[in-house]
Every structure is written in C-alpha cells, then in structure tokens.
Amino acid sequence: MKSLKAEASSLADPEEQLKIINHHSAIIEEIPDFADRLSDINLFPLKPTGIDIFQMNVGYMCNMTCKHCHVDAGPGRDEIMTKEIFQYCLDALDGSEIDTVDLTGGAPEMNPHFRWFVKEVSAMGKHVIVRSNLTILTTNKYNGLPVFFKKHGVEVTCSLPFYSKYRTDRQRGKGTYQKSVEALKALNKLGYGKEDTGLMLNLVYNPVGAFLPGDQTEIETQFKKELKRKHNVVFNELYTITNLPISRFLHFLLMSGNLDDYMEKLVQAFNPAAAEGVMCRNTISVGWDGTLYDCDFNQMLEMKISEHTVQHIRDFDEISLNNRDIRINQHCFGCTAGAGSSCGGATT
Amino acid sequence: MDESYYKTGDLKKFGNVREFQEKLGDKFFDYYGEVFEEGALTKREKALIALAVAHAVQCPYCIDAYTTESLETGASEEQMMEAVHVTTAIRGGASLVHGVQMMNKVKDLSI
C-alpha cells in the first residue's frame, strides 16, 4: 500500500477532504455545522483551557502504511522536523509550566534527532510520551529504543487496534500483530506495563472499520484478558480513539460506501460533555516545520492556528495562544461522539 | 409494491413504529433500552447474545445492528462466529433431539 500522496490521489489535498466532508452528498449537506452544535451548548467560539500537552509531530515518515492513517504517513514521506525546529521547541518549553511533551509522527523514532531531543527535554524535567507503532521497535536499527525509553522514563503509548491478528493485520498490514506482540513482550521484560515499576505502557485502540469505539473500560478489560491469555502480555491503560473522517480513513469510507452513514453516526452521537473536554482545548500541536495547529488532525488538514495568534513555534507565546479561537470543521464531530475521543482516549 | 421486502434504510426507521401506536411503542423502546444496559451481563455479552438470537430468528435488521454493536463493544470475529455456532448447535440440536421421538415410534411399531 502507498500513501495517498505517493499515489497522487486527489484525497491527498486537504481542501478536497474538507469539500467531501461538507458537501459530498445530500445527506452530508444536511448535517448541521459543527459550529452550530457548539453554539447550542454555549461553546462557540471554542476556547483553550490552557496548554497542558505540547504535542510535536516530528515527521510523516513511517515504516508502515496503515489503511486508516490520518497522517497519510509512510516510508516515502520526507517531511521531517529539523534540529533547528526541535531547538525552538526546547526554547518554548524552557521556563514554561507545560508538563507533558507528546511525540508523534509518522514513526517519531525515525527522526534522526529523536534521541537527542528526548534526552534534552527529559533533562528539563518534562514528562515525555512517545506514540509508537510498536513494529518499529522490532527492527535492527531501533530495537535498542525500549532500553533508551526506560533510561529516560519515557511513557510509551502504542497503537494496537485489536487483540486479534485478523483485525490488526487488516488495518496495519500483514505480520503487524506478531511484531507488535514481540515489541510488547520486549517492553514488558524491561518492566513496562507492570505494576509498581512506574514505566507506563498504554495501548491505543481504534475501530478497524466504519464503527465507533465502545466503552473504553470494557474494551480495556477485554484487551487485558486476551493479551494476557494469549501472549502473557500486560499493559497499563487502553485509550479508545475514534477514527476521524479525513485522509486515508476518509478514502476507506468513500471507497466502501460508508461515508454518509459514518458521518450521520458521528453527528447522532454528539455528546455535549465530550465537546467540553476536547483535547484541542488543552493541547498545542507543532508541525514538522514548526507551524502551530490546534491539533494533529487540523495539522493534516492544513488548518493553521488562528491568524490572531502566533503562527510558528519560534514565536511561542503562551498567553496569546491561550486567548485564541480554536479552528473547527465537520471532522471535529469525531472527537465529540459518544464518550469523546482524544490522544488520551475517551474524554468523559 | 417495492422491489424488495427488506431495505437497509428501514432499520433507522424502527422508531417510527410508534407512529401507529405510540403508547405501546414507547413501552417497548423503554424496555428495549433498559435490557441492553450494562447489568449482570456486560454490553458486549448482551450484544453477542443478541447476535446469536438474530441468526436464530434470521432477522437481517438485527444481524446488521448486532454485528455493529458486537464490533463496537470490542468483540472479536472469533467470538462473533462462536456465537453463531451456538445458534446453529441449538437449532440443529432442536431438530436432532426429535430423532429420539422418531426412534421411539420406530421401536413402538417394530416387532
């Protein structure tokens, strides 16, 4: 499988994606504006509650090409954060009270400055989360990373869409499940995911298809039971994440004829409590080139942060950013459906 | 007359049955909603039971709804297919157990 960009698909264009989720069919045309739903509950314009999480997308390069990827990441993507941009991030974090630095990609481990940055930022006393696809940790070049993570107290949050080979491999490619289990075992061996070690190992579950995630606690219970039973693998928490109708998941919805039903499902499941807790309210997203966004999804849609605040990490200004209006569009229904969805799982 | 008795879009209209009898419809849907709440059984377990029953009554709407519900509540393909095999075992068993009645009759009639 290739990225949409490599295939020169029209869906690689964020404008085309926004056009589809706003106007693709009569049913989609009838869907209320997300802004109106927020207005109904006095949340429009959507404002930040403060920056708790500093999320950095350090590049779109990845060793995998998953069917649902909202980044359209893959081996051929060459957008990579430079050391200069990393340094701007360190400058912004230095003296800031932001506690958590969340590293995502692509496969963030593939950035050549990854280890240097983790050392620097953890030495500042920041809590570092790395979003790992797991399979990268089984490759010769990167299989030493779990030890490095342990040394720097990095929290590892891994993608594992399901506790079965069938469903995991369908979404992420043949052989993924086996490699993921191998990586989880290596992490467990170091103490990750085990009680009282303080080494956090979390899993991210996202539905393998056009349906919503169910109750996070119940799915976590199932994962724990099945991974323990089948592989003697343990982990700390499971985060359920709803697939947003953008990029490759949007491509799947279109090709499978599920787009209208999926959009209707998201809208029908709109939950005011989830809207209160959306992650863009306490997160700032830094793009590979230093551009600022309200979240990683907006980043992929090239919806830059409000023009009334700073646009680039080199000009980081927390007060100004905390006063911005958060940019929204119809894809945001994905984060407000049901129990809510964020990089940290359900929000209610 | 429509081309087909079953239309996928009709599942979304299930609640419309209240249009012709609101009071009984309301009672049914209140009851239905409460049945599927988490209780002594989890939502996933109830979804799998519903999926098995859906196959027993061969209701395409129910199969559609409870396949989705099973997926959403975290059931695996293996669990879902095992549920359908439970249906099959019971349905098949229900026929086969009557073989005893047949055998009894054969023995009654035979020398």
Side-chain angles (χ1 to χ4, degrees):
Chain A
M1 184 171 172
K2 287 181 175 176
S3 67
L4 295 170
K5 193 179 176 190
E7 287 184 337
S9 164
S10 60
L11 270 178
D13 177 4
E15 271 188 40
E16 180 66 17
Q17 295 176 42
L18 287 169
K19 197 169 119 190
I20 289 168
I21 60 175
N22 280 276
H23 306 294
H24 178 68
S25 66
I27 287 172
I28 284 178
E29 287 273 8
E30 278 179 23
I31 286 175
D33 283 351
F34 186 71
D36 291 340
R37 295 310 315 267
L38 288 186
S39 293
D40 294 343
I41 53 170
N42 300 316
L43 273 179
F44 186 78
L46 191 62
K47 302 295 281 185
T49 52
I51 304 172
D52 299 322
I53 300 164
F54 190 91
Q55 189 173 64
M56 299 164 57
N57 193 313
V58 304
Y60 304 161
M61 186 181 285
C62 189
N63 59 320
M64 303 175 75
T65 320
C66 304
K67 285 182 185 166
H68 72 300
C69 183
H70 74 277
V71 178
D72 194 27
R77 297 297 300 259
D78 56 4
E79 299 92 335
I80 291 288
M81 187 175 277
T82 61
K83 197 166 183 180
E84 182 190 19
I85 303 294
F86 273 115
Q87 187 59 55
Y88 287 136
C89 292
L90 288 173
D91 295 344
L93 288 163
D94 191 18
S96 160
E97 288 184 5
I98 298 170
D99 177 57
T100 302
V101 178
D102 185 332
L103 301 174
T104 188
E109 300 95 329
M110 292 176 84
N111 185 299
H113 312 295
F114 175 77
R115 284 176 185 247
W116 164 78
F117 180 78
V118 170
K119 276 185 209 166
E120 293 288 320
V121 79
S122 56
M124 274 182 179
K126 304 294 183 190
H127 176 61
V128 181
I129 300 171
V130 62
R131 295 191 177 270
S132 178
N133 66 27
L134 286 174
T135 65
I136 190 88
L137 304 178
T138 64
T139 60
N140 286 338
K141 189 171 178 184
Y142 300 101
N143 62 12
L145 277 173
V147 172
F148 173 81
F149 291 153
K150 181 178 178 177
K151 186 177 174 191
H152 297 282
V154 174
E155 179 176 329
V156 184
T157 296
C158 311
S159 307
L160 187 69
F162 209 58
Y163 54 78
S164 74
K165 179 177 178 294
Y166 174 80
R167 218 181 284 178
T168 298
D169 286 3
R170 275 184 76 88
Q171 184 187 77
R172 303 175 76 79
K174 204 175 169 188
T176 299
Y177 184 74
Q178 191 188 335
K179 287 178 189 167
S180 301
V181 169
E182 192 184 318
L184 287 169
K185 283 184 173 176
L187 288 159
N188 279 172
K189 203 172 171 186
L190 293 170
Y192 269 100
K194 295 191 173 171
E195 278 180 33
D196 305 325
T197 62
L199 296 168
M200 294 295 289
L201 174 62
N202 304 315
L203 299 187
V204 170
Y205 159 91
N206 55 301
V208 184
F211 55 94
L212 302 184
D215 179 75
Q216 183 167 275
T217 308
E218 188 172 345
I219 293 176
E220 179 182 286
T221 303
Q222 272 297 104
F223 265 68
K224 285 193 167 168
K225 183 181 151 205
E226 291 298 316
L227 289 177
K228 178 80 180 164
R229 180 178 71 86
K230 294 203 279 191
H231 311 292
N232 201 28
V233 159
V234 294
F235 64 94
N236 296 103
E237 291 180 19
L238 176 133
Y239 303 142
T240 55
I241 297 189
T242 303
N243 290 307
L244 263 62
I246 69 169
S247 196
R248 274 188 223 146
F249 190 68
L250 176 60
H251 181 257
F252 155 73
L253 291 173
L254 276 170
M255 293 299 109
S256 62
N258 278 302
L259 179 62
D260 289 354
D261 281 350
Y262 192 73
M263 289 301 290
E264 280 190 315
K265 198 182 263 264
L266 292 181
V267 175
Q268 280 163 8
F270 179 80
N271 177 357
E276 283 268 353
V278 282
M279 65 178 175
C280 51
R281 302 189 77 189
N282 73 343
T283 303
I284 195 78
S285 163
V286 186
W288 66 274
D289 60 355
T291 306
L292 298 177
Y293 300 88
D294 297 302
C295 72
D296 204 52
F297 299 109
N298 280 8
Q299 183 178 149
M300 300 317 145
L301 290 169
E302 293 180 4
M303 289 171 55
K304 291 179 185 173
I305 210 157
S306 161
E307 59 189 10
H308 301 296
T309 185
V310 293
Q311 301 293 296
H312 196 274
I313 191 61
R314 68 175 162 262
D315 305 314
F316 187 73
D317 179 342
E318 212 165 333
I319 293 170
S320 168
L321 286 166
N322 281 335
N323 283 311
R324 75 191 192 274
D325 290 349
I326 293 167
R327 295 194 62 196
I328 54 173
N329 206 300
Q330 297 300 79
H331 63 293
C332 302
F333 277 114
C335 287
T336 56
S341 177
S342 76
C343 290
T347 54
T348 58
Chain B
M1 193 68 176
D2 288 330
E3 290 290 321
S4 165
Y5 284 110
Y6 287 118
K7 288 189 285 185
T8 51
D10 284 351
L11 179 56
K12 288 178 192 162
K13 298 176 189 166
F14 189 12
N16 295 358
V17 298
R18 277 182 281 226
E19 198 180 316
F20 285 5
Q21 228 301 356
E22 191 176 354
K23 189 177 160 194
L24 292 178
D26 284 344
K27 284 189 174 195
F28 172 80
F29 285 111
D30 284 351
Y31 167 78
Y32 192 101
E34 201 164 330
V35 163
F36 282 96
E37 286 298 317
E38 180 111 15
L41 294 171
T42 65
K43 286 185 177 179
R44 183 184 57 86
E45 289 163 341
K46 288 183 181 182
L48 287 168
I49 293 169
L51 184 68
V53 175
H55 281 77
V57 298
Q58 292 179 308
C59 167
Y61 299 118
C62 310
I63 292 171
D64 183 335
Y66 287 98
T67 297
T68 306
E69 182 72 7
S70 296
L71 288 169
E72 291 190 345
T73 53
S76 66
E77 285 77 9
E78 197 181 3
Q79 290 168 343
M80 290 160 71
M81 191 54 86
E82 282 186 19
V84 176
H85 277 293
V86 171
T87 307
T88 308
I90 295 297
R91 287 192 71 143
S95 293
L96 193 57
V97 73
H98 285 80
V100 177
Q101 195 174 345
M102 176 270 286
M103 290 168 72
N104 290 341
K105 186 69 181 174
V106 167
K107 286 170 187 169
D108 286 348
L109 295 173
S110 301
I111 296 172

